[in-house]
Amino acid sequence: MKRKIITINEEKCNGCGLCVSACEEGAIGLVNGKAKLLRDDYCDGLGNCLPACPTDAISFEEREAAAFDEAAVKRNMERQGKKMPPQGGCPGMQSKRIEHRAAAPESEAPGSAPSQLSQWPIQLKLVPPNAPYFENANLLVAADCTAFAYGNFHKNFIKGKITLIGCPKLDEVDYADKLTDILQHNNIKSITVVRMSVPCCGGIVAAVTDALHRSGKMIPWSIVTVDTDGTILD
């Protein structure tokens, strides 16, 4: 079958072994000092290993591969005297959609604002590019400070979108790589970039621009700039 599965760039791999520890299914091992995908059917395709890699050597590819075999993983874990990991791995990295029950206006407390977040995780470093919620999504790519600076961020930006956040100054990763994977492997309907007015936020705009060019897709996109006092700049 053809499916999304991890691939490891041996030239980038430094042999640290962090991905081996992150992969609870035992799909990755160190061979001759380099990380290697040992068996396709051990890889669940959720990408828990991606954020663990300090050199961005791991990414997704779509190719012919054996389907994930939970029974085979369980047998392998038992041979090693380990317990089968809980479904989805680390709860903080488990990909899921969030459904919100509509509340009647009179039932809401004065001044309350319901969450509009529709998926988890939201950090660009953690999100798996093959998560099902990306298909036919309107994407919000936001600098993480914007939600603190702009009071109505949930209502005006998050609502109806799949949200990705990050800080190009603090995160030592190339967001363009992850964004390219997302754009290439999913049908993204639109992209809204929300950045702060400070110069370092230009990095998140550059990453989206680079990813659009790499993907080769014509996707409508826009940029919104939030000033440090919370106002929207033209």
Side-chain angles (χ1 to χ4, degrees):
M1 66 178 292
K2 196 170 187 178
R3 70 181 180 100
K4 294 170 187 174
I5 194 166
I6 67 159
T7 181
I8 303 173
N9 186 327
E10 289 192 3
E11 293 184 359
K12 288 185 176 181
C13 177
N14 64 3
C16 67
L18 292 175
C19 60
V20 177
S21 301
C23 180
E24 298 187 52
E25 291 75 21
I28 305 175
L30 289 179
V31 179
N32 296 324
K34 296 287 185 177
K36 182 179 178 62
L37 178 60
L38 302 177
R39 283 181 51 160
D40 290 356
D41 59 345
Y42 286 178
C43 178
D44 59 10
L46 291 178
N48 287 350
C49 54
L50 269 69
C53 179
T55 62
D56 293 324
I58 306 175
S59 60
F60 279 107
E61 65 176 350
E62 188 167 348
R63 62 172 174 82
E64 290 293 331
F68 174 63
D69 190 338
E70 186 173 345
V73 172
K74 184 177 180 180
R75 289 192 297 270
N76 183 50
M77 294 291 100
E78 289 174 347
R79 284 194 297 268
Q80 299 179 45
K82 299 178 182 178
K83 292 183 179 180
M84 181 71 180
Q87 184 66 30
C90 171
M93 294 164 61
Q94 182 178 353
S95 176
K96 65 179 179 180
R97 182 174 287 278
I98 301 171
E99 301 291 342
H100 297 284
R101 183 175 61 185
E106 60 271 15
S107 67
E108 296 179 6
S112 67
S115 172
Q116 299 296 335
L117 191 65
S118 63
Q119 101 289 342
W120 187 266
I122 59 174
Q123 285 284 348
L124 255 170
K125 290 176 64 176
L126 300 181
V127 68
N130 64 337
Y133 47 69
F134 280 124
E135 192 62 22
N136 297 316
N138 293 300
L139 202 62
L140 171 65
V141 182
D144 50 16
C145 292
T146 56
F148 293 92
Y150 187 70
N152 284 329
F153 195 82
H154 274 249
K155 178 182 177 181
N156 292 356
F157 293 116
I158 293 181
K159 187 176 182 179
K161 297 182 177 66
I162 295 301
T163 303
L164 301 177
I165 67 169
C167 177
K169 187 176 180 66
L170 299 181
D171 288 345
E172 295 181 358
V173 295
D174 186 354
Y175 290 148
D177 291 339
K178 177 67 71 68
L179 288 168
T180 300
D181 280 346
I182 293 171
L183 299 185
Q184 286 180 336
H185 295 114
N186 301 279
N187 179 36
I188 301 298
K189 296 166 64 176
S190 69
I191 304 174
T192 302
V193 182
V194 183
R195 58 162 293 177
M196 294 299 298
S197 58
V198 295
C200 57
C201 258
I204 207 158
V205 177
V208 173
T209 305
D210 191 9
L212 283 167
H213 288 160
R214 291 195 214 173
S215 71
K217 294 184 177 181
M218 298 292 293
I219 300 173
W221 71 298
S222 60
I223 303 171
V224 178
T225 302
V226 179
D227 203 359
T228 51
D229 63 1
T231 57
I232 302 294
L233 302 179
D234 294 331

